[in-house]
Amino acid sequence: MGKEVLLCFELVCSGARFECSVDPALSLQEIVEGLQEMCPAEIREEFDLSQPLILCDAQEHKILDEQKTAAQLRLDDGFKILIY
């Protein structure tokens, strides 16, 4: 198993931030599903599973492909992802 990858998420609607270490093989979609389960109830309410989440690169504001793996998203200092 490879080394874990640090990713940082910011939920734009509430300003909440999450950092998590994840398996490099997990897809972005799988990571976000895990975040939804792990979040405190008040934050979980911000995730509306009936609506699509838009995941963006915080540096370039490009929409991210949910199939990309954590290893593909990794930067040396982690990777910040905005969730709209």
Side-chain angles (χ1 to χ4, degrees), residues 66-80:
E66 292 182 358
Q67 299 307 309
K68 281 193 182 284
T69 65
Q72 291 171 308
L73 295 169
R74 183 187 175 282
L75 293 178
D76 290 340
D77 59 348
F79 190 90
K80 186 172 177 186

Side-chain angles (χ1 to χ4, degrees), residues 33-45:
E33 287 170 0
L35 278 177
Q36 291 168 337
E37 292 174 12
M38 293 181 344
C39 290
E42 63 273 11
I43 299 299
R44 194 176 311 122
E45 291 170 7

Side-chain angles (χ1 to χ4, degrees), residues 39-82:
C39 290
E42 63 273 11
I43 299 299
R44 194 176 311 122
E45 291 170 7
E46 301 285 351
F47 288 106
D48 182 353
L49 297 180
S50 67
Q51 300 294 323
L53 298 174
I54 301 174
L55 306 167
C56 291
D57 172 338
Q59 291 178 330
E60 299 176 17
H61 291 267
K62 288 184 179 174
I63 294 176
L64 295 170
D65 177 356
E66 292 182 358
Q67 299 307 309
K68 281 193 182 284
T69 65
Q72 291 171 308
L73 295 169
R74 183 187 175 282
L75 293 178
D76 290 340
D77 59 348
F79 190 90
K80 186 172 177 186
I81 298 169
L82 303 177

Side-chain angles (χ1 to χ4, degrees), residues 25-41:
L26 289 176
S27 71
L28 184 54
Q29 178 65 35
E30 291 169 325
I31 295 164
V32 171
E33 287 170 0
L35 278 177
Q36 291 168 337
E37 292 174 12
M38 293 181 344
C39 290

